[in-house]
Amino acid sequence: MSELVGSIWWMLVALGVLVTFHEFGHYWVARRCGVKVLRFSVGFGKPLWSRRDRHGTEFCIAAIPLGGYVKMLDENTLDEGDAPVAASDRAQAFNRKPVAQRIAIVAAGPIANLVLCVALLWAMFVVGKQDYSATVGHVQGLAAQAGLQRGERIVKVGDREVATWSDAATALTIAAIDGQDARIEAESADGDVSTHTLKLSQLPAGFDQENVLGLAGMAWQFQLPPAVIGKIAPGSPAAASLQPDDQITAIDGAPIHDLADLQAKVAVLGQRGGEAMVEVDREGERLAFPMAPRRMKTPDGVEYWGLGIEAKATEMPPYDALQRLNPLAAIPAAFRETGKIASDSLGMMRRMLVGQASVKNLSGTITIARAANASAERGLGWFLWFLGAVSLSLAIINLLPIPVLDGGHLLYYLIELVKGSPLSERAMAAGQYAGLAALAGLMGLALYNDILRLPF
């Protein structure tokens, strides 16, 4: 399945599940409060299928699969052409219900997404989510100064325990955005635990917040391909001796673990000058050739020391970490994971509001669709995690005090609860316009960020 088709398909699947569950929360509580629900629609537009239950609610699947809605009997939101609410039905109208019940009905949607998030993460832990461990591959710069070593596995960043590379990367990025040094606990292959201080506070002002680890001089082990030759430039230092598919294993006796290691050692050799013995593995045979790097240029004109080789494209290594628990142990783990995702999301929102975090961290539909496809390709555990994270995001976003969202309605009802009477129609209309403007601005910014991330 192509990335475009896959992204569209899995995005529609995600929206269908999450929005339907959100709207079901509104529907379920509305029915318990005695509100007449006129329609429960999955999707928008012309119904493709529908049926009506004994309570008079029309359930339908519509032509445009981009969300859904619940339409309740409400004297204040009659569509053009709707008949006035009959006197016998007024007691079932949403606007006639006590403010506490209206608050419960509106809050039920985000709460449903929160409950779904916990359930999905529980299922993720039971099914199991494969990932890569937070094992350090290449270090230089701040990471080398901190004493981190190749092969060490990061187990804790500050007070936060980490199980995978993504956990560690998130914790380190947050510390960098906050301008704080990160205290890291790492475990060697022999089981020895050491503590390091990564001085992220020394990153330059205005640093790229999407590349914190690269700026700190650290790469994960799984990200570094072996130094296997794909192509050799004619007339280059490597042309006379090396062949495609050779794997470079050492330079002057110093082992080469991966491509980044090769680049660093070639640069040192070039600055030193002279030849060095380049050792390779050629179909199981160990060979060595004298070679001296030469100054070369990238296509955009940047000079570097090189041997004239291009690395062979390799597949990702097998996963070396698995998050899987029995059904009972998965229950508290799901709640902890939900709390961690919520804390990270709310913290990032706060940092963007106060200007600490770049608004480039804001993502829209395109990025979410691509993430949906990528997670589905990585397996059921990853897709369950993705659904849980997006469900929680929907809950948080819908609770923002923006009038067109659930949070805005809750704000109106809380004001009504305090002052004893509803806001005026003029005040609510002004709030709706302001909310639409704010939401349009956020969506526009998110779309702009999505376009910048596209691999043109």
Side-chain angles (χ1 to χ4, degrees), residues 238-281:
S241 307
L242 303 185
Q243 298 178 6
D245 294 326
D246 284 350
Q247 179 174 349
I248 299 178
T249 57
I251 292 181
D252 260 356
I256 301 296
H257 301 93
D258 48 59
L259 190 60
D261 206 17
L262 171 64
Q263 292 168 341
K265 286 184 169 60
V266 168
V268 171
L269 176 60
Q271 292 169 3
R272 187 195 71 187
E275 291 185 339
M277 296 301 295
V278 176
E279 301 175 34
V280 301
D281 183 322

Side-chain angles (χ1 to χ4, degrees), residues 5 7 31 33 37 53 69-70 84 140 148 184 229 233 254 273 293 303 320 367 372 434 445:
V5 174
S7 297
R31 292 290 304 129
C33 292
V37 180
D53 70 2
Y69 63 93
V70 168
Q140 60 183 10
L148 285 166
I184 295 174
I229 299 173
E303 291 191 349
D320 61 354
T367 297
L445 179 59

Side-chain angles (χ1 to χ4, degrees), residues 74-152:
D74 191 330
E75 294 170 294
N76 297 330
T77 59
L78 294 175
D79 293 332
E80 186 177 346
D82 285 348
V85 176
S88 59
D89 289 337
R90 286 174 187 167
Q92 300 181 72
F94 175 80
N95 62 290
R96 296 273 181 158
K97 294 300 178 181
V99 65
Q101 290 188 3
R102 282 179 275 146
I103 289 174
I105 293 169
V106 172
I111 291 173
N113 279 129
L114 176 61
V115 172
L116 180 60
C117 171
V118 176
L120 288 167
L121 294 177
W122 174 84
M124 177 205 75
F125 281 116
V126 173
V127 170
K129 180 166 79 79
Q130 291 185 313
D131 205 346
Y132 293 104
S133 64
T135 303
V136 178
H138 181 73
V139 292
Q140 60 183 10
L142 295 177
Q145 294 170 21
L148 285 166
Q149 301 290 324
R150 176 191 300 275
E152 286 187 317

Side-chain angles (χ1 to χ4, degrees), residues 27 39-41 49-53 57-61:
Y27 165 81
R39 176 179 290 176
F40 187 124
S41 177
W49 171 90
S50 68
R51 76 171 183 84
R52 197 175 298 273
D53 70 2
T57 302
E58 180 190 14
F59 293 87
C60 64
I61 298 176

